[in-house]
Amino acid sequence: MLSQKNLSIIIVLLLCGLLYGPGLDGPFLFDSKVALHSNPDIQITGSLIEEWRIALLSSNSGPLGRPISMLSFAANYVVAEGLDGFLFKLVNLFLHLGNGLLLWFVLCKLLKLSPVQHNIADKTTLIATSVTALWLLHPLHISTVLYTVQRMTQLAMMFNLLGLCLFLHYRQQWLVVKPKPVELCGQILNLALLTLMAGLCKENGLLLPWLLVLLEGFFFGYLIEGKKSRSLQYACYTAYLLPIVIVTLFLVVPNEFLNNWYQGRDFTVLERLSTQMRVLWQYLAWIVLPDIRVMGFHHDDITLSKGLLKPITTLLSLLSWLGLIVMAWLARKKWPILSFSVAWFLVAHSIESTVVPLEIAYEHRNYLPSVGIIFGLVVGIFYVFQESPKLVAALLVVLGLLCSMQLYVRSTDWSDELRMASVNMLYHPQSVRSTYHYGNTLLRLAESSGNEELKKQYMLSSRVSYKKIIEMDADNIAALVTLIYMDARYFPSFGNKPWSHLLEDAVARKNFAPEDFNSLKLLISCFSGGFCRSEDANFELVINTLISRYPERADLRDLKAQYCGFVLEDLACAISESRQALLISPEYYFGYYTMMTWYIKKGEHGQTLKTVAELVGQDRHRRESIDVRSLFSPGDQ
Amino acid sequence: MRAENTLLHCLLFWLLLCITAWVYWPGIAGPSLLDDSVNLREISQLDSDDGFIHQLIFENRSGPLGRPVAMASFVLEKIYIDRGVWGNKVINLSIHLLTGCMVFWLALRLFLVCGYRGASLGALWVASMWLLSPLLISTVLYPIQRMAQLSTFFSLLALLVYCCWRENPLGKFGKCRAALSLFLVLLCVLLATLSKENGLMSLPLIVLLELLVFRFSTVPQQASPHYRKYLYFTAFVATSVTVVFLGTLAVKGYFTSGYVTREFDLLERLMTEARILWQYLFQLLLPSVLEMGVYQDDYSISRGLLSPPTTLLALVAWLTVLISSIVFHKTLLGRLAIFSLLFFLAAHSMESTVIPLELYFEHRNYLPAFGIYFGVVALGLSLLQKYPYLKPTIVSVFLIWIGFFTYASSSQAYVWSNKYLLHFNALKMHPLSARANTEASRLFAEQGNIKDALEFSKKVFLIEGGPAMRHHSRDLLLYCLSGSEVGARFIEKFQTAPRQFNDGRLNENIQLLVELLIEGGCSSFDALEIADLFAEVFYNKSQQKATGKILIMMAILENYNGRYQLADIYAKEFLEKYPKDIKALLMRLYFTSLLDKEKDKAAIVEELIEYRQSGRLNQEQQYTLELFL
């Protein structure tokens, strides 16, 4: 027989599964396209173990390469026999439910510990279930669960939660019995392994030790065998202070690494840090007061803080965070859960929302941090209204309903790419990325549509969107290139096309972003497909400007080689540019294949083989083995 | 003694065999290498002629005993399967899996004898590490190393039979069982030795097993009063046989004569091997596949204790390890640690000590690897026994370790699946390997890139030095492979190079070139011109006589050209050097018949009939002779 507490969590899990249902049909988005669609290494048959090995290594994101996540994508591809968005998202949903279950276990265990016992000891399961339910049903997590590539975040959290479970299991025993040194070492090793596994899913999984230190401080009070261990306490303080000191020194002492790190970003480290003060408040508001009208896939419309008073909210945010931290510290004994909740939120955000030069804001960054806030919120409700259980129930039901309804609406929005893109643009009209996403979706729909009327309608709307982007950001390279492409291919009769000149100005001024690179590839295909002509765009000028601005970028040289080879059909120029690309970066593997293309076109098999030898020579992790082998016929094996 | 959860572990072992096969499978498509062609060429031309089969099995010259068991396996494979290199590798993989079963079984028996709980789990770990060790890829996917595989298989079987007998010395059938067991042990040792000579080392390994694991213990209720004496006697006999065999080889100069053609002397070899053994050990435990491969001829030779300084360090480290393991011999774990290390060293003692073989080959670890993995797992099981709550930690560590082995082996097996991948990867980590550069030069030549092929060839010359004639002959071969014309300048260089014909590589190159010419593999060469060039360089204007191999190749080339007079001259010249060579006699018989040299023909026939009567002609040669009678 199922107990009441088990039944309640099962109902929550089922409800969550149902509400996410509509969104499972949605498209692959943004980085998912890079990590999955444009990544042939995960699109495997699964018959060779080497395919799996290479899939492990196939991510270029993050310093650890996220191999576990990539392996899960490859497995998903093999099972689905293709890039079936539904199955990929279904796995994400199961991971979300699994994480919810693990969270529930952790909370049940945690709530039985001393800091909450004297107040609400008899309601531990109810609190745990409420926190889990609100976390599972929170509409903010749509952009983690239905944004396929964020399985990385989900897996990292799963290993973190497993680590917390393990820690709680042993730590509770050590409250009364002192652990033997070997046992202690064994558990430390287990936790280290889980931390490593979490880090190999996504780097913020490496925060597990700091989360454990939080639990130690707030829930175990450094007690071992009933006595307070000073050495443990100091070790925990050191664990927190040391990274803070190191990061502060890293920021204060001028260093080349920091400058290089932020190259290619439109903000400095100080601007990022001050903007994050405001963004963290924004995140907090989204968690506490879920409102899907302010949520969205892109948040590039958030204004950068250029100084403490630009905008003024920067200073206010900074002061309010400092105030909150001080209050949390002072209240750590009286209201430990509330202090814990603030600390958890900040610690869990410490990698993605501080010095690392990532983009400013993404909702999925709250997947783990939101646990702390929701936990604090629910415990707060129980604590404040402990005399009126009905009011507590009513509040929780209202919150639950609010989350569920918004989750369902958002999930439905995410079920269709055009609908999602329109909603994003509607709620974030100043977001260039949302507008671009909308325009791009329309363009793709137009190109694949068989209905001429609809095609024309989509195409015109798309063009309007891109023009809107240029109005917001005249230097938007991707939008300018797309306009050149659209006008050349679909609207050749339109007069007065300033895009080419604007593009030439933009490449001379603006930071060159990854999406800009893809757009230039589009331009090459436009030329090689015969749609674009030299009067539509001066590609040579554009690429030469970029090469002179970024002489260390091999991919730009490679792009020029492609232009020479595919558009101008000048193989000497193509070979020379490809050689330059490989000289700049011998580890730019793609360049070797481009080079081989030219030699094969010239019929120089000996030179092709030499390029293969060079590629193998550079391929330290043997990522290219399968591709290299496929260059030879079976007779050559 | 019985193990716990045996069924589960047997199922897991079955899964492990499947994973191993999956990991190795891509490598099956790979090429043959180095010694393969020399040893297997004749087998590839085999038909069902009994006499010829006998010759192939018993007349291999790879070792002093001829390795007939291994050769028989190749011959049987040719007769019944005949799938070329692919078939060779499939059989090798099957032997690997079978040997893996031996590893599992032996480890299980040993852990049970030592009284470990979780013995079957331990055996599974040992088998996993051994089956998936990337260092052993170059044994399984290198066809001719079936010799090492079979030798290991029979050695492990000998140890296993010995173990089973020692666990239950008298059993149901009393002394008959004991006699049968000992007979089986000896049979296995014999088969191991006849597969490859280091199979003989299974005798000292049995002694080690007795000394450190069974410790001459007896089961009181079953043993006769003389039982312990029998054990001492067995150990004594095993040691004596090994010593006598090695002594015989030493007296015959087998250990010293080979140093003449090597770049190192005995002392240098011993010092270098001390370092290489450490390298093997690291590669067994923490494999770095990038450094692995068959082209290890760039390994630096120890010229003195401090040149390089790691020589001294390696020697001191080995001594320290051995002394410290003796200190701990009173505990079970200590004894097993000694067993593990001594097993590794004893199994290496034939190939990694005094015999003037090449310095470094990974396949030499096929048997020694068992000792190391057994020792490591014994440590894990001891920890598990002492601290049961560490089980999840220890199991996780082993799983990650085995996962890493699988990862590394997958990469290595895949590299072995294609000759370009294999050679270019070798070149990446061994840029100073003459062999890797030679192979690269051939690959480039095959693709028509003579410029880069000659660059690699030049590099080989700079690395290995040696007579200029060797390098010119290699360049000539590259011109042939690439289909390029040879310039007058090169011909002049070849003609004026110092005559130094007694060089193995030069002879090999000439042989390959002639074979290619005959098979039509040299589109840009005129066979007549090349024959004239050879005549000028190796025969007419040469003070020094050409070697037998070159002469016979010249005869073959002239036969191809239809210039039988010249062919006969070269064959005759060859016979002056090797008057009893039957193949050359038959060749000359053919030439003299064509040239109507009746007198010479009659003399040759008479000689061959004499050989036939003394039983020196195999069946195929007898048939050939019959044609001329």
Side-chain angles (χ1 to χ4, degrees):
Chain A
M1 283 285 284
L2 284 171
S3 67
Q4 198 182 348
K5 66 174 186 178
N6 290 343
L7 192 65
S8 57
I9 191 68
I10 288 170
I11 290 170
V12 169
L13 291 172
L14 284 174
L15 178 67
C16 178
L18 280 174
L19 294 175
Y20 267 102
L24 298 179
D25 290 321
F28 286 116
L29 297 161
F30 202 48
D31 280 357
S32 300
K33 287 181 184 165
V34 180
L36 308 174
H37 258 285
S38 314
N39 181 0
D41 290 343
I42 67 129
Q43 295 169 29
I44 60 174
T45 60
S47 59
L48 283 175
I49 200 161
E50 183 67 355
E51 289 180 330
W52 294 93
R53 192 189 70 82
I54 291 174
L56 269 177
L57 303 171
S58 67
S59 171
N60 293 320
S61 325
L64 300 181
R66 307 177 185 181
I68 296 177
S69 304
M70 298 318 289
L71 193 67
S72 90
F73 290 130
N76 219 149
Y77 184 89
V78 171
V79 173
E81 295 179 348
L83 281 172
D84 181 345
F86 178 83
L87 282 176
F88 275 78
K89 292 180 186 205
L90 187 66
V91 173
N92 281 20
L93 175 58
F94 278 116
L95 279 171
H96 186 54
L97 300 179
N99 279 341
L101 204 58
L102 278 171
L103 177 63
W104 184 68
F105 279 124
V106 169
L107 291 173
C108 284
K109 271 189 174 287
L110 207 58
L111 284 162
K112 284 177 186 149
L113 293 166
S114 55
V116 283
Q117 268 183 356
H118 56 279
N119 291 327
I120 38 184
D122 54 333
K123 299 185 186 73
T124 52
T125 311
L126 185 59
I127 295 173
T129 310
S130 308
V131 174
T132 309
L134 286 179
W135 182 82
L136 275 170
L137 300 170
H138 205 292
L140 193 65
H141 299 324
I142 280 269
S143 53
T144 310
V145 181
L146 298 183
Y147 181 13
T148 318
V149 79
Q150 287 315 324
R151 184 182 297 174
M152 296 170 173
T153 308
Q154 294 186 288
L155 284 168
M157 179 165 170
M158 187 185 81
F159 283 109
N160 282 342
L161 289 171
L162 283 172
L164 295 177
C165 282
L166 187 76
F167 176 77
L168 288 171
H169 175 72
Y170 282 96
R171 191 60 187 86
Q172 268 179 312
Q173 295 173 11
W174 298 342
L175 279 173
V176 281
V177 184
K178 194 177 178 184
K180 291 173 191 155
V182 179
E183 187 186 12
L184 188 64
C185 290
Q187 294 323 318
I188 289 173
L189 191 60
N190 284 340
L191 289 170
L193 285 176
L194 282 169
T195 307
L196 181 69
M197 301 292 263
L200 293 177
C201 296
K202 193 173 182 179
E203 288 69 15
N204 44 357
L206 296 174
L207 284 172
L208 177 62
W210 285 271
L211 298 176
L212 297 178
V213 172
L214 271 188
L215 288 191
E216 179 62 49
F218 283 103
F219 291 90
F220 296 97
Y222 315 107
L223 291 174
I224 291 178
E225 215 181 5
K227 291 177 212 155
K228 190 165 187 171
S229 164
R230 286 282 168 203
S231 52
L232 180 61
Q233 189 177 9
Y234 293 141
C236 290
Y237 286 166
T238 313
Y240 269 102
L241 287 175
L242 203 62
I244 292 172
V245 170
I246 291 171
V247 171
T248 312
L249 280 174
F250 172 67
L251 293 175
V252 172
V253 178
N255 62 79
E256 198 59 30
F257 177 76
L258 191 61
N259 294 337
N260 292 338
W261 215 17
Y262 270 74
Q263 246 182 19
R265 287 288 175 207
D266 295 326
F267 43 80
T268 63
V269 64
L270 210 60
E271 285 168 353
R272 186 174 201 274
L273 281 173
S274 31
T275 311
Q276 288 304 322
M277 300 291 164
R278 290 162 40 227
V279 171
L280 283 173
W281 277 116
Q282 186 122 38
Y283 288 154
L284 200 64
W286 291 344
I287 296 166
V288 177
L289 302 165
D291 177 2
I292 55 171
R293 287 169 304 168
V294 291
M295 292 177 194
F297 189 64
H298 297 292
H299 291 282
D300 54 321
D301 50 349
I302 293 175
T303 323
L304 271 179
S305 292
K306 297 283 183 186
L308 279 178
L309 298 173
K310 283 190 219 169
I312 183 78
T313 44
T314 312
L315 183 62
L316 291 176
S317 302
L318 175 64
L319 291 175
S320 49
W321 273 120
L322 286 174
L324 193 63
I325 291 168
V326 171
M327 274 170 62
W329 176 257
L330 295 175
R332 70 189 188 282
K333 287 195 176 137
K334 199 169 179 189
W335 295 303
I337 301 281
L338 295 181
S339 304
F340 169 77
S341 118
V342 172
W344 176 282
F345 179 74
L346 292 176
V347 169
H349 261 299
S350 59
I351 287 188
E352 288 178 309
S353 303
T354 53
V355 290
V356 185
L358 303 168
E359 294 194 31
I360 293 294
Y362 268 112
E363 290 170 4
H364 63 252
R365 291 179 189 161
N366 292 287
Y367 197 61
L368 179 65
S370 61
V371 168
I373 299 300
I374 295 172
F375 185 38
L377 181 71
V378 173
V379 173
I381 290 172
F382 272 88
Y383 185 76
V384 172
F385 304 108
Q386 55 186 301
E387 303 304 325
S388 353
K390 283 184 184 169
L391 189 57
V392 171
L395 270 173
L396 288 175
V397 168
V398 168
L399 267 176
L401 279 174
L402 191 68
C403 283
S404 302
M405 284 189 302
Q406 297 204 68
L407 176 65
Y408 182 74
V409 173
R410 212 172 171 210
S411 168
T412 314
D413 287 344
W414 278 56
S415 64
D416 176 77
E417 188 164 15
L418 186 57
R419 183 172 172 171
M420 179 198 171
S422 352
V423 168
N424 279 336
M425 210 176 71
L426 180 71
Y427 294 147
H428 297 273
Q430 293 307 309
S431 160
V432 169
R433 283 226 165 117
S434 297
T435 315
Y436 186 88
H437 182 199
Y438 179 65
N440 191 255
T441 309
L442 286 170
L443 177 59
R444 274 187 290 114
L445 285 172
E447 286 187 326
S448 60
S449 171
N451 182 333
E452 281 306 313
E453 194 52 40
L454 201 62
K455 188 173 188 154
K456 197 173 169 188
Q457 195 187 330
Y458 282 155
M459 202 61 83
L460 282 168
S461 305
S462 171
R463 193 170 184 275
V464 169
S465 302
Y466 284 115
K467 281 181 78 177
K468 189 185 160 199
I469 295 172
I470 301 303
E471 281 162 21
M472 289 190 283
D473 173 16
D475 288 343
N476 193 297
I477 295 171
L480 286 167
V481 167
T482 316
L483 280 166
I484 289 170
Y485 164 75
M486 287 176 77
D487 283 2
R489 185 163 184 184
Y490 300 107
F491 305 109
S493 56
F494 282 18
N496 187 24
K497 297 169 194 169
W499 319 131
S500 179
H501 292 299
L502 283 174
L503 179 65
E504 286 158 24
D505 292 344
V507 292
R509 275 198 302 255
K510 207 195 164 197
N511 274 335
F512 193 65
E515 61 267 25
D516 300 334
F517 184 80
N518 289 333
S519 66
L520 288 185
K521 284 208 289 199
L522 173 75
L523 203 52
I524 288 184
S525 63
C526 182
F527 276 111
S528 57
F531 307 117
C532 293
R533 288 154 303 159
S534 53
E535 58 265 33
D536 292 320
N538 188 344
F539 187 85
E540 227 163 320
L541 179 66
V542 167
I543 194 72
N544 285 338
T545 309
L546 285 169
I547 287 173
S548 63
R549 282 188 68 200
Y550 303 100
E552 76 290 354
R553 282 189 65 161
D555 55 350
L556 291 173
R557 284 278 180 185
D558 189 74
L559 209 58
K560 189 173 177 191
Q562 288 183 42
Y563 178 72
C564 289
F566 294 130
V567 180
L568 303 179
E569 296 192 344
D570 177 354
L571 290 182
C573 161
I575 289 173
S576 155
E577 289 302 330
S578 283
R579 182 57 59 203
Q580 281 297 321
L582 297 177
L583 282 174
I584 293 167
S585 171
E587 290 188 5
Y588 179 64
Y589 301 144
F590 188 77
Y592 292 95
Y593 296 102
T594 317
M595 179 71 106
M596 282 179 226
T597 312
W598 314 137
Y599 283 132
I600 290 169
K601 270 192 165 187
K602 278 185 91 177
E604 290 185 8
H605 299 303
Q607 287 301 323
T608 313
L609 190 68
K610 192 177 176 187
T611 314
V612 174
E614 285 169 2
L615 169 61
V616 173
Q618 291 297 334
D619 184 12
R620 278 180 300 143
H621 301 290
R622 295 178 174 174
R623 277 178 66 167
E624 304 298 314
S625 293
I626 291 182
D627 290 337
V628 168
R629 190 176 184 248
S630 68
L631 294 169
F632 302 99
S633 63
D636 285 334
Q637 308 301 333
Chain B
M1 277 169 275
R2 289 201 169 273
E4 305 154 4
N5 294 328
T6 312
L7 181 65
L8 172 70
H9 293 142
C10 283
L11 283 174
L12 286 174
F13 180 67
W14 178 246
L15 181 69
L16 170 70
L17 290 179
C18 294
I19 291 173
T20 309
W22 191 30
V23 166
Y24 271 86
W25 195 252
I28 298 294
S32 59
L33 291 157
L34 304 175
D35 295 353
D36 287 343
S37 58
V38 180
N39 286 289
L40 303 178
R41 187 189 296 147
E42 287 186 339
I43 293 178
S44 65
Q45 293 155 4
L46 174 79
D47 54 28
S48 54
D49 179 333
D50 289 340
F52 193 37
I53 288 172
H54 182 271
Q55 182 193 342
L56 284 174
I57 293 176
F58 292 102
E59 289 181 21
N60 183 278
R61 290 179 204 157
S62 304
L65 301 179
R67 308 179 184 180
V69 174
M71 293 314 289
S73 84
F74 284 114
V75 169
L76 288 173
E77 183 201 322
K78 170 69 186 169
I79 293 169
Y80 294 108
I81 301 173
D82 195 15
R83 295 290 300 271
V85 179
W86 186 88
N88 294 156
K89 295 191 180 195
V90 170
I91 300 286
N92 281 17
L93 176 57
S94 312
I95 296 173
H96 186 58
L97 299 178
L98 273 177
T99 315
C101 297
M102 292 296 119
V103 168
F104 177 75
W105 200 355
L106 179 62
L108 178 67
R109 298 320 314 162
L110 291 178
F111 285 136
L112 285 173
V113 167
C114 297
Y116 279 114
R117 265 183 282 131
S120 56
L121 179 68
L124 187 67
W125 285 343
V126 176
S128 308
M129 296 180 93
W130 188 88
L131 276 166
L132 292 167
S133 173
L135 195 67
L136 306 185
I137 296 259
S138 58
T139 314
V140 182
L141 298 179
Y142 184 1
I144 198 65
Q145 289 315 327
R146 185 180 300 170
M147 294 170 171
Q149 286 191 287
L150 286 171
S151 170
T152 300
F153 174 81
F154 288 118
S155 298
L156 290 173
L157 191 58
L159 291 170
L160 184 64
V161 174
Y162 186 80
C163 262
C164 291
W165 169 60
R166 284 291 281 117
E167 277 184 78
N168 188 7
L170 297 176
K172 205 173 171 183
F173 302 105
K175 285 179 183 170
C176 285
R177 179 193 155 92
L180 182 67
S181 299
L182 281 176
F183 170 74
L184 280 176
V185 169
L186 287 176
L187 182 68
C188 289
V189 172
L190 186 68
L191 288 171
T193 313
L194 292 178
S195 299
K196 194 173 183 179
E197 290 71 15
N198 46 357
L200 187 73
M201 286 299 122
S202 43
L203 286 175
L205 293 180
I206 288 173
V207 176
L208 269 184
L209 200 63
E210 189 56 66
L211 273 170
L212 294 163
V213 180
F214 292 105
R215 305 174 76 200
F216 299 103
S217 62
T218 56
V219 185
Q221 64 272 29
Q222 289 176 331
S224 73
H226 303 296
Y227 183 63
R228 196 184 288 264
K229 285 179 196 165
Y230 293 148
L231 290 177
Y232 287 134
F233 180 71
T234 311
F236 173 74
V237 170
T239 315
S240 308
V241 170
T242 316
V243 169
V244 167
F245 179 77
L246 294 177
T248 313
L249 291 182
V251 168
K252 285 190 170 182
Y254 194 74
F255 296 159
T256 46
S257 60
Y259 280 104
V260 179
T261 56
R262 295 288 178 205
E263 296 170 63
F264 45 82
D265 59 28
L266 176 63
L267 199 64
E268 285 170 345
R269 185 171 204 274
L270 288 172
M271 288 191 295
T272 314
E273 288 300 335
R275 285 162 49 222
I276 289 177
L277 285 172
W278 278 114
Q279 178 112 358
Y280 287 151
L281 198 62
F282 283 120
Q283 287 286 34
L284 282 170
L285 295 173
L286 295 168
S288 160
V289 285
L290 288 182
E291 287 164 26
M292 290 181 188
V294 282
Y295 302 116
Q296 304 282 355
D297 51 317
D298 57 343
Y299 199 87
S300 67
I301 298 167
S302 293
R303 302 289 180 194
L305 282 176
L306 293 173
S307 153
T310 44
T311 312
L312 184 63
L313 282 177
L315 283 166
V316 171
W318 275 121
L319 283 174
T320 314
V321 165
L322 289 174
I323 292 168
S324 48
S325 57
I326 290 166
V327 171
F328 295 110
H329 82 282
K330 286 189 177 168
T331 63
L332 173 66
L333 185 59
R335 276 203 311 282
L336 290 185
I338 304 174
F339 174 72
S340 159
L341 281 171
L342 290 184
F343 189 103
F344 177 74
L345 293 176
H348 261 298
S349 60
M350 194 171 274
E351 289 179 305
S352 304
T353 52
V354 292
I355 302 178
L357 301 168
E358 289 191 38
L359 289 170
Y360 193 121
F361 268 115
E362 289 162 4
H363 63 252
R364 292 179 187 159
N365 291 284
Y366 204 63
L367 177 61
F370 174 82
I372 297 302
Y373 294 140
F374 178 78
V376 169
V377 175
L379 174 68
L381 284 184
S382 301
L383 282 173
L384 208 58
Q385 197 136 317
K386 198 166 178 190
Y387 310 108
Y389 45 82
L390 284 186
K391 190 170 181 179
T393 316
I394 294 172
V395 171
S396 307
V397 168
F398 268 99
L399 281 177
I400 290 173
W401 207 346
I402 290 161
F404 175 61
F405 273 32
T406 312
Y407 171 91
S409 290
S410 152
S411 161
Q412 191 68 352
Y414 199 82
V415 160
W416 276 71
S417 71
N418 175 283
K419 67 178 176 186
Y420 296 99
L421 270 178
L422 180 62
H423 297 313
F424 291 156
N425 269 290
L427 206 58
K428 172 164 62 180
M429 290 313 286
H430 299 280
L432 295 179
S433 157
R435 276 198 178 134
N437 280 287
T438 306
E439 286 300 334
S441 72
R442 284 188 192 164
L443 293 180
F444 276 94
E446 279 168 12
Q447 291 294 330
N449 184 345
I450 186 66
K451 188 170 159 264
D452 286 301
L454 290 176
E455 274 300 311
F456 279 109
S457 178
K458 194 174 165 190
K459 213 171 149 193
V460 177
F461 176 62
L462 293 173
I463 293 167
E464 68 175 13
M469 189 60 87
R470 178 200 297 174
H471 302 290
H472 292 324
S473 68
R474 185 176 52 244
D475 288 351
L476 196 61
L477 186 63
L478 296 175
Y479 277 111
C480 154
L481 285 167
S482 65
S484 310
E485 299 269 342
V486 185
R489 211 166 135 222
F490 176 79
I491 298 282
E492 197 186 324
K493 268 201 309 191
F494 192 61
Q495 285 168 334
T496 53
R499 269 46 177 166
Q500 235 178 307
F501 304 142
N502 199 10
D503 177 71
R505 306 251 173 88
L506 165 70
N507 286 266
E508 222 172 87
N509 291 338
I510 298 298
Q511 183 181 347
L512 272 171
L513 190 58
V514 171
E515 283 169 1
L516 278 167
L517 275 166
I518 291 171
E519 288 162 10
C522 289
S523 55
S524 58
F525 279 25
D526 180 356
L528 286 168
E529 280 178 18
I530 295 295
D532 290 342
L533 179 68
F534 283 178
E536 194 179 330
V537 174
F538 298 121
Y539 196 74
N540 295 344
K541 290 187 183 169
S542 175
Q543 300 270 319
Q544 201 194 13
K545 292 282 181 191
T547 59
K549 194 169 199 172
I550 294 179
L551 284 169
I552 212 76
M553 293 323 291
M554 286 168 72
I556 292 170
L557 184 59
E558 291 298 12
N559 174 47
Y560 171 73
N561 287 334
R563 300 198 298 199
Y564 304 113
Q565 187 70 43
L566 286 171
D568 186 48
I569 291 172
Y570 298 139
K572 194 174 168 189
E573 187 88 17
F574 176 86
L575 281 166
E576 277 173 25
K577 283 173 182 271
Y578 306 100
K580 292 179 180 173
D581 191 280
I582 291 160
K583 277 184 189 167
L585 280 168
L586 285 167
M587 204 187 251
R588 234 198 123 215
L589 180 60
Y590 169 67
F591 296 141
T592 49
S593 302
L594 283 170
L595 296 166
D596 295 326
K597 291 183 175 176
E598 291 303 326
K599 201 175 156 191
D600 286 357
K601 183 183 169 187
I604 294 166
V605 167
E606 196 181 332
E607 198 176 344
L608 282 169
I609 289 173
E610 201 178 301
Y611 288 146
R612 185 173 65 181
Q613 282 162 356
S614 61
R616 284 193 55 207
L617 262 59
N618 65 35
Q619 211 156 355
E620 193 191 21
Q621 289 164 343
Q622 287 179 35
Y623 289 145
T624 315
L625 180 59
E626 286 297 328
L627 293 173
F628 293 94
L629 293 179

